[in-house]
Amino acid sequence: MTPDVRVCSDVNEMSLRAAQAIVRTINDAVRATGKCSFVLSGGSTPRRLYGLLASQFRRHIPWDRVHLFWGDERYVPAGDPQSNYGMTRQALLDHVACPAANVHPMLTGFATADLASRDYEATLRNHFPDDWPRFDLVLLGLGGDGHTASLFPGSSALREKTRWVIAARAPADPPAGLTLTLPALNRAAAVYFLVAGPNKADALDHVLAGSADSNLYPAAGVRLENGTVIWWVDREARFGNDSWSVD
Ligand code: 6PG
């Protein structure tokens, strides 16, 4: 199936168009079920988007109906500069009236990342009583190596079939972290990838080609069972540095 790729002129346009789509998706979910489960991504790309959701679009989202989750987390304290929760707190949560009871961060105060992953899976199971979580919307990024969330090339995490959340090892310092697994991601109703910059062009090309090995390009493992994937990308990520083309 041809991927739904929205090529934008730059990260500003990408963030604006993705924010508009997120507002629609959240409101659609709330109209249908009374709530929306929204998984946030770490990384630098979503920052501008989070800023738009916290300002220009803040009043367009029923934050009291939104439950926020995270797709992955570094195994650092919440106040650490590398914390995804810390980044989203600063860029978004501190500016919107999402009830504390609706904010579900991946807690990193356990002795090991494995214990933390089991704690987070219990949190998810409390919210999703069925046999798999069905998130209304998941934001994901793409690394230049094809990783997404904290699912990295060659990782045994890519073969996980039953756990919803597992400990992960990233080529970062510290390496330990947590990530949603592919089976948990692939039950989502919608996934929005946010990809910007020429350093993502090669990985994006491989993943969009549809034939990429998910062991080499983990983002290629995001194939929803019954859902919508939209790739929000800027020109440089889609075409590298050498050509112009926007939707
Ligand atoms: C994280 C994300 C990670 C990120 C990619 C892209 O915890 O950082 O889960 O998967 O989305 O590494 O990061 P950038 O947006 O910074 O390029």
Side-chain angles (χ1 to χ4, degrees), residues 41-46 71-74 84 140-144 147-152 194 196 199-200:
S41 170
S44 55
T45 304
D72 73 323
E73 187 54 276
R74 308 291 202 293
N84 288 340
L140 289 174
L142 177 71
H147 82 263
T148 193
S150 284
L151 296 165
F152 289 89
L194 298 164
N199 63 317
K200 309 294 179 73

Side-chain angles (χ1 to χ4, degrees), residues 57-211:
F57 296 99
R58 184 178 62 222
R59 299 185 194 289
H60 299 270
I61 294 173
W63 292 105
D64 62 323
R65 303 296 189 85
V66 178
H67 283 261
L68 295 172
F69 302 90
W70 275 258
D72 73 323
E73 187 54 276
R74 308 291 202 293
Y75 211 61
V76 294
D80 187 291
Q82 293 194 76
S83 166
N84 288 340
Y85 171 68
M87 181 274 281
T88 50
R89 172 103 261 155
Q90 180 271 328
L92 177 59
L93 302 184
D94 286 348
H95 311 281
V96 299
C98 190
N102 291 18
V103 178
H104 312 280
M106 292 179 161
L107 302 179
T108 57
F110 295 85
T112 65
D114 179 64
L115 287 172
S117 69
R118 295 176 191 279
D119 172 72
Y120 202 64
E121 182 156 332
T123 296
L124 294 181
R125 288 183 183 277
N126 185 44
H127 192 82
F128 297 101
D130 299 335
D131 58 351
W132 284 101
R134 183 161 172 79
F135 297 110
D136 293 301
L137 177 60
V138 179
L139 296 187
L140 289 174
L142 177 71
D145 61 357
H147 82 263
T148 193
S150 284
L151 296 165
F152 289 89
S155 165
S156 58
L158 296 170
R159 295 189 293 278
E160 179 57 45
K161 299 292 183 221
T162 57
R163 301 275 303 276
W164 297 9
V165 189
I166 53 171
R169 296 193 69 75
D173 181 23
L178 311 177
T179 188
L180 295 185
T181 59
L182 285 174
L185 291 170
N186 284 332
R187 264 71 173 190
V191 165
Y192 288 178
F193 278 97
L194 298 164
V195 189
N199 63 317
K200 309 294 179 73
D202 179 64
L204 183 61
D205 241 4
H206 279 91
V207 174
L208 293 182
S211 54

